Amino acid sequence: MSESQKQPPFLGIFFVATAGQNGSLLGSDEEEIVLLVLSILNTSSNQVVCTSPFVVQPRTADINENLLSEECKIDFKLSDDQVRTAIPLETAIEQLDEIVRQNAGDEEFTLVVDGQLPLRQCLHPEACAKEISLPAYYNSFFDLKKEFAKRYEVRLEEINEMLEHLGLNPSDEPSDSILSRVNQMTLIASKMLTDGYQFETKEIINMKLEPGICSKFEEVDSNCVVRARGLPWQSSDQDIAKFFRGLNIAKGGVALCLSLQGRRNGEALVRFESQEHRDMALKRHKHHIATRYIEVYKATGEDFINVAGGKLFLFPLKIARGLN
Ligand SMILES: *[C@@H]1O[C@H](CO)[C@@H](O)[C@H](O)[C@H]1NC(C)=O
């Protein structure tokens, strides 16, 4: 789902890194966030208003003292001081919100993110698991890769490729490599504004599972359905939607499977809004609800209909059809 509107006066170029995988696997290993960087761009003056990095302390750090992996310290050239002064995610979210309010005031402010994963696969699921509430501006965003593809008619997966395509120089100063990703993204967004582009089509993150009824005769796209197994037996459809927080589930898109005795068996079929969301759901295979891990597999539209489709009237309808 996306929504077209006028370009907001402020864009928040936003970068997220976890202690684990990056790139196309970002978030798939359920590792915690260790770095958030926000740069605010005034779209009428096309100028950067401020850039703020937050080094985030993972909760697991309390247990094993190993704050951030060596690898990630090297990747972002974090100093020991930056690591020592790392703050919990909830504090970083609060401080970031202060900065947004100081700089954008009550004006509209929309995040610009490199692809779907930082918000959908990292921040939302982690905040949901830790019961951290996020300000409303995290519920929609511009996907820089999609916006870039719309403007320049070429889909590029890497920031460096985008810079190169625009003839920009990724000035990689070693002193602030913690900011380099966000600076590069800002350079791209700013060039797009200069080229007359308007950021208008927001991606929406559904925060609520909408009720809906699925008819036995509906066509359900098999590319949009997964089977989740190993759910706590008392899970409601809302609990299952929470496990997939960040992804958009179709209306009435959670169907709990029942055993022959009519009891829940810890399985559910989940129908997403699009294949893009289904594919991200599959990347949550073996992610956790509390201490239990959940298996996520591909399933078919027929599987979904078999569990979710209303069975009432099926028989009389068949007869009626046979008479035609
Ligand atoms: C944003 O840019 C406009 C146009 O240059 C200017 O009037 C406005 O004061 C700027 N806002 C901030 C917060 O910099």
Side-chain angles (χ1 to χ4, degrees):
M1 186 169 43
S2 54
E3 200 172 80
S4 252
Q5 280 181 348
K6 258 183 57 197
Q7 171 160 280
F10 293 96
L11 295 176
I13 319 295
F14 191 51
F15 175 75
V16 175
T18 72
Q21 301 266 22
N22 281 303
S24 67
L25 292 175
L26 182 71
S28 64
D29 51 9
E30 227 183 354
E31 287 285 345
E32 291 174 283
I33 289 170
V34 293
L35 184 59
L36 297 175
V37 189
L38 179 74
S39 180
I40 299 182
L41 186 63
N42 181 340
T43 56
S44 37
S45 63
N46 199 355
Q47 275 178 343
V48 176
V49 182
C50 70
T51 302
S52 316
F54 294 90
V55 180
V56 179
Q57 179 180 328
R59 277 193 193 169
T60 46
D62 303 340
I63 308 159
N64 58 23
E65 278 191 16
N66 180 13
L67 289 185
L68 302 172
S69 73
E70 284 307 310
E71 202 178 316
C72 133
K73 276 192 243 175
I74 294 163
D75 274 0
F76 299 107
K77 300 194 178 65
L78 298 180
S79 66
D80 287 343
D81 224 30
Q82 280 170 317
V83 173
R84 210 171 27 247
T85 55
I87 51 177
L89 182 61
E90 48 271 52
T91 314
I93 295 294
E94 273 167 32
Q95 293 187 6
L96 236 143
D97 191 47
E98 278 294 307
I99 289 171
V100 171
R101 273 183 287 158
Q102 272 166 21
N103 291 286
D106 294 331
E107 302 236 48
E108 208 199 322
F109 162 84
T110 307
L111 296 172
V112 177
V113 185
D114 180 24
Q116 301 281 313
L117 306 181
L119 288 177
R120 294 197 190 273
Q121 292 286 68
C122 297
L123 186 60
H124 274 284
E126 186 173 335
C128 183
K130 293 180 173 173
E131 295 180 4
I132 300 169
S133 67
L134 297 172
Y137 49 77
Y138 288 101
N139 300 348
S140 63
F141 65 100
F142 294 112
D143 176 336
L144 188 63
K145 288 190 175 94
K146 285 190 188 173
E147 298 294 309
F148 185 96
K150 228 183 292 168
R151 173 61 182 79
Y152 302 108
E153 295 177 346
V154 51
R155 167 89 192 184
L156 299 174
E157 294 305 322
E158 301 290 335
I159 296 284
N160 290 342
E161 294 174 323
M162 297 189 201
L163 287 167
E164 207 170 296
H165 186 88
L166 299 176
L168 299 169
N169 195 5
S171 48
D172 233 355
E173 296 203 13
S175 55
D176 49 8
S177 62
I178 190 175
L179 302 181
S180 71
R181 267 301 174 223
V182 122
N183 285 345
Q184 292 168 348
M185 289 165 65
T186 308
L187 216 53
I188 294 167
S190 169
K191 173 75 166 108
M192 290 173 73
L193 292 175
T194 308
D195 287 348
Y197 189 73
Q198 300 264 316
F199 287 82
E200 287 172 339
T201 314
K202 283 193 216 169
E203 293 268 335
I204 308 294
I205 299 178
N206 288 352
M207 297 299 285
K208 273 207 311 242
L209 174 65
E210 301 282 348
I213 293 170
C214 179
S215 122
K216 199 80 193 165
F217 304 106
E218 205 172 310
E219 279 280 342
V220 175
D221 183 351
S222 288
N223 292 317
C224 296
V225 180
V226 302
R227 178 186 300 274
R229 291 179 51 186
L231 298 158
W233 63 269
Q234 67 275 42
S235 306
S236 65
D237 54 355
Q238 296 292 344
D239 296 327
I240 294 163
K242 259 176 132 181
F243 174 75
F244 289 110
R245 178 63 62 80
L247 308 180
N248 292 354
I249 297 175
K251 277 190 181 145
V254 176
L256 300 163
C257 303
L258 302 178
S259 66
L260 291 173
Q261 291 77 35
R263 287 198 209 101
R264 292 179 186 170
N265 63 2
E267 276 188 41
L269 286 147
V270 186
R271 177 188 186 186
F272 291 92
E273 204 178 77
S274 66
Q275 180 173 354
E276 183 181 35
H277 290 244
R278 193 282 311 259
D279 290 346
M280 288 187 272
L282 291 172
K283 294 249 167 71
R284 297 196 189 185
H285 182 55
K286 298 212 170 159
H287 284 200
H288 294 75
I289 293 184
T291 55
R292 192 188 263 267
Y293 73 79
I294 310 301
E295 296 170 71
V296 184
Y297 300 104
K298 279 186 187 173
T300 66
E302 211 179 347
D303 294 334
F304 183 80
I305 291 285
N306 284 340
V307 180
K311 291 190 180 74
L312 285 176
F313 309 123
L314 176 62
F315 191 54
L317 270 174
K318 268 198 178 148
I319 292 174
R321 282 185 170 183
L323 290 175
N324 277 337

